[in-house]
């Protein structure tokens, strides 16, 4: 379960443990698989290279001219000459240059993190002292614009030089000034319960977030996305619309400006055994069945990798922040356009019954 669903006011675990011991402030618990030093000491396969910090990256990334290990060890002691394969220099954008700089993971104590806490914003306390993890920070819907801004300014002054995973719950003003103190280290960003959200507003406020790789929307109804909204975020690898988030408008080829996009989630953790809300039915009908969005279905059919299951850290892993496991059945709802319920009887079916199997 994504860590951004912890302490957000919704019971996602059947036993309610994701909402236990949350207190009154929005203290976000660690992710289901935090990128701690112990977690990183995984067994690499024969086709993977082990970084000095224990992380595994595809072996083809070894000595390719671009740092993929957060410590840069995949580019150390490399041969040079005509036989060395390098990524095309034309593919290196200013955003990818920013991603190449390794995080230094400066020491941060639990006391330092505790000092950042405001009434409705907080940092996870139990991962501050770990030398290999990012920082997970969150503000609840009770945090107003002033409190959120001051909290992010305090996080920026901490100068931890680690990846940041930020979750903002509730509707608020999104500006360059809000994100500026943390923009350079922001790896993942989630919005929750933000109605009628315009993607253009989100991305224009994030133009300085040149390392941002994950953008998630949880229970955000009526999202509007235009064609060029993602142009300022070429580093994005994962975009997710989950927990009942609905898209009111999606302009054709809206994702075309994301050259590094590796994963899309359209619907996740939605109980399909109960009557779907009107908004969700409209969303499913629009994206999965309407002629207007045939372009989307054709594009997804040409890019099956975007909707495929993926292991933890497979989509992105930077600064101690990585994607959680993306399991089959939690990425989209298979839709039968001929059914009155819209939900296909086969849970492993295609995105839409109008697509080829």
């Amino acid at each position: 379960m994504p860590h951004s669903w912890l302490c957000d006011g919704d019971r996602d675990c059947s036993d309610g443990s994701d909402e236990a011991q949350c207190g009154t402030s929005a203290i976000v618990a660690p992710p289901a698989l935090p990128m701690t030093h112990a977690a990183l000491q995984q067994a690499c396969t024969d086709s993977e290279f082990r970084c000095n910090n224990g992380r595994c990256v595809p072996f083809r990334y070894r000595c390719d001219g671009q740092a993929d290990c957060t410590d840069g060890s995949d580019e150390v002691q490399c041969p040079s000459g005509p036989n060395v394969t390098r990524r095309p220099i034309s593919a290196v954008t200013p955003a990818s240059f920013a991603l190449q700089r390794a995080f230094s993971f400066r020491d941060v104590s639990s006391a330092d993190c505790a000092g950042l806490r405001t009434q409705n914003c907080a940092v996870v306390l139990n991962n501050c002292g770990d030398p290999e993890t990012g920082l997970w920070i969150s503000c609840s819907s009770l945090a107003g614009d002033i409190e959120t801004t001051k909290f992010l300014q305090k996080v920026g002054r901490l100068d931890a030089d680690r990846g940041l995973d930020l979750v903002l719950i509730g509707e608020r003003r999104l500006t360059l000034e809000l994100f500026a103190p943390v923009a350079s280290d922001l790896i993942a960003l989630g919005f929750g319960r933000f109605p009628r959200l315009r993607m253009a507003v989100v991305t224009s406020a994030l133009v300085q977030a040149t390392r941002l790789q994950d953008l998630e929307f949880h229970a955000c109804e009526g999202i509007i996305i235009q064609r060029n909204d993602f142009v300022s975020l070429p580093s994005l690898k994962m975009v997710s619309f989950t927990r009942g988030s609905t898209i009111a408008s999606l302009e054709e080829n809206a994702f075309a400006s994301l050259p590094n996009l590796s994963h899309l989630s359209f619907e996740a953790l939605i109980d399909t055994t109960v009557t779907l809300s009107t908004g969700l039915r409209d969303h499913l009908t629009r994206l999965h069945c309407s002629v207007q969005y045939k372009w989307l279905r054709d594009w997804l059919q040409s890019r099956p990798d975007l909707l495929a299951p993926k292991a933890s850290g497979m989509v992105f892993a930077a600064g101690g922040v990585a994607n959680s496991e993306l399991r089959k059945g939690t990425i989209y709802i298979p839709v039968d356009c001929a059914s009155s319920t819209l939900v296909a009887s086969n849970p492993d079916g295609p995105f839409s019954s109008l697509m080829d199997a």
Side-chain angles (χ1 to χ4, degrees):
M1 180 183 71
H3 78 278
S4 54
W5 297 351
L6 299 166
C7 297
D8 67 349
D10 288 336
R11 289 166 56 97
D12 300 296
C13 295
S14 58
D15 59 3
S17 56
D18 58 310
E19 298 301 319
Q21 300 179 339
C22 291
T24 57
S25 293
I27 301 178
V28 182
L33 183 62
M35 296 301 288
T36 62
H37 184 71
L40 290 171
Q41 296 298 329
Q42 53 187 296
C44 298
T45 66
D46 291 340
S47 63
E48 293 178 317
F49 170 78
R50 180 187 291 280
C51 306
N52 287 347
N53 61 12
R55 179 173 291 121
C56 302
V57 299
F59 201 86
R60 65 182 183 276
Y61 291 173
R62 167 76 169 139
C63 294
D64 68 349
Q66 185 167 336
D68 297 286
C69 297
T70 55
D71 58 9
S73 57
D74 59 312
E75 299 301 318
V76 174
Q77 295 181 340
C78 293
S80 60
N83 294 326
V84 179
T85 300
R86 300 288 178 179
R87 298 188 191 182
I89 193 68
S90 61
V92 181
T93 63
S96 62
F97 272 122
L99 286 169
Q100 288 181 41
R101 181 177 68 80
F103 288 87
S104 65
F105 292 91
R106 296 191 181 97
D107 290 337
V108 179
S109 68
S110 295
D112 291 331
C113 282
L116 300 177
R117 182 175 179 175
T118 64
Q119 185 173 0
N120 300 293
C121 300
V123 182
V124 176
L125 301 185
N126 61 354
N127 77 327
C128 285
D130 194 303
E132 290 286 343
T133 65
L135 295 181
W136 286 270
I137 57 181
S138 175
C139 289
S140 78
S141 58
L142 298 177
D145 294 335
I146 294 177
E147 180 182 356
T148 303
T149 299
K150 288 184 176 180
F151 172 70
L152 294 182
Q153 289 173 346
K154 292 169 71 175
V155 173
R157 288 195 296 269
L158 184 65
D159 194 25
D161 199 23
R162 305 176 179 206
L164 297 176
D165 189 334
L166 169 63
V167 177
L168 297 176
I169 307 297
E171 189 171 359
R172 63 189 72 239
R173 291 181 65 245
L174 303 178
T175 63
L176 277 170
E177 292 72 23
L178 175 67
F179 294 107
V182 297
S184 62
D185 293 334
L186 197 59
I187 300 297
L189 174 61
F191 294 95
R193 302 195 190 94
F194 196 136
R196 301 173 300 281
L197 187 58
R198 300 186 69 91
M199 193 66 68
V201 175
V202 175
T203 56
S204 63
L206 293 170
V207 293
Q208 296 175 328
T210 55
R211 286 172 157 179
L212 186 67
Q213 299 186 42
D214 177 34
L215 192 56
E216 301 186 11
F217 302 90
H218 309 295
C220 297
E221 299 182 356
I223 300 171
I224 298 173
I225 307 172
Q226 295 177 308
R227 180 173 302 167
N228 296 319
D229 285 351
F230 292 111
V231 168
S232 61
L233 299 176
S235 60
L236 270 183
K237 295 182 178 180
M238 178 171 165
V239 181
S240 300
F241 307 95
T242 69
R243 297 281 298 278
S245 289
T246 58
I247 297 175
S249 176
L250 178 64
E251 197 166 297
E252 187 169 350
N253 297 324
F255 300 109
S257 59
L258 295 175
N260 297 304
L261 186 65
S262 300
H263 185 82
L264 274 171
S265 287
F266 284 99
E267 300 99 20
L269 274 184
I270 296 174
D271 186 0
T272 57
T273 64
V274 300
T275 302
L276 302 178
S277 68
T278 300
L280 184 55
R281 284 185 62 89
D282 289 345
H283 163 93
L284 293 175
T285 301
R286 185 179 303 115
L287 268 60
H288 296 247
C289 302
S290 73
V291 174
Q292 180 185 0
Y293 288 95
K294 183 180 183 298
W295 69 266
L296 175 64
R297 299 188 295 272
D298 289 345
W299 178 66
L300 290 174
Q301 188 136 4
S302 70
R303 290 287 309 275
D305 57 299
L306 293 176
L307 299 178
K310 298 173 183 71
S312 300
M314 183 177 177
V315 181
F316 69 91
V321 180
N323 67 280
S324 302
E325 180 184 7
L326 299 160
R327 298 188 302 273
K328 193 172 186 177
T330 64
I331 300 170
Y332 63 89
I333 296 177
V335 166
D336 182 353
C337 297
S339 170
S340 60
T341 65
L342 288 179
V343 180
S345 57
N346 179 11
D348 296 327
F351 183 79
S352 168
S353 59
L354 300 182
M355 296 166 62
D356 295 335

